[in-house]
Amino acid sequence: MVIKEDKMPDFYEVLKSRRSVRTYTAEPISEILLKELIELAVLAPNGINLQPWRFVVITQQTLLAELNANILQLLRQTEMPAAAKFESLQETLNRPDFNIFYGAPALILILGDRQVPTAMIDCQLAAENLFLAAQAKGLGSCYMGFLLMQREDPQIRQLLNLPAGYELMAAMVVGHPAAEAADKAERQPPQIDWLR
Ligand SMILES: Cc1cc2nc3c(=O)[nH]c(=O)nc-3n(C[C@H](O)[C@H](O)[C@H](O)COP(=O)(O)O)c2cc1C
């Protein structure tokens, strides 16, 4: 259920409870809500307030299915770094039923102006705002690194209909969680060097 503004959870609760969600119901998200998430995303700090971003929202399930198939095909041919963590990633990618979008009803792309040197950072900051805004609204979200890995592939660029001069800099799915995040992704205590 989407949370209304007057019932918003406490900010610290939002920060502490956000987890990457990897299973979604098919329930769509209204365009009004998707737009609101983006309006909250652009409140992020950004270099000299140039706001070098634009957004693409994909809710067309046939396009998501086509993107998923193409990206999986490319990723399965890509050699992953030789570390144990990446081995399990390769296994996941090889699962015949794996869907990089986890069945979410919406994919949001954040495109950055290639000519603005801070654009890559600006877009990641906007992405984090969007994740937290989604959490505050009772929605789940997940960063789409697999998609980003293939962002320069001409076929993927064409499917995404990316305008010239813009690079895909961040991407996330959002939707109604079908289950609590299984992976608690506990954090280690941060290493802090105090220079006093
Ligand atoms: C740059 C980046 C790329 C990511 N790519 C993916 C992805 O392609 N698929 C996925 O399921 N999760 C992806 N994630 C989510 C991370 O796996 C997740 O944030 C991490 O395990 C910590 O878990 P938490 O988000 O639940 O705290 C990505 C996160 C980041 C920051």
Side-chain angles (χ1 to χ4, degrees), residues 51-54 110-117 119-120 123 151-152 157 161-169:
Q51 303 166 60
W53 41 50
R54 50 192 285 178
I110 309 184
L111 315 185
D113 185 334
R114 287 187 195 267
Q115 297 206 319
V116 175
M120 184 54 91
C123 290
R151 68 180 182 271
E152 292 300 347
R157 279 193 71 85
N161 199 19
L162 299 184
Y166 280 82
E167 185 181 334
L168 175 58
M169 295 196 172

Side-chain angles (χ1 to χ4, degrees), residues 17-22 75 85 89 98 100 102 124 131 141-149 171 181 183-187:
S17 59
R18 186 217 54 82
R19 289 275 78 80
S20 295
V21 170
R22 299 188 174 88
L75 286 172
K85 280 230 160 196
L89 209 65
F98 185 66
I100 66 161
Y102 304 114
Q124 307 314 317
F131 288 127
S141 62
C142 189
Y143 200 108
M144 288 291 104
F146 287 140
L147 169 61
L148 285 189
M149 282 170 76
D183 177 5
K184 290 276 174 254
E186 302 290 356
R187 300 299 198 266

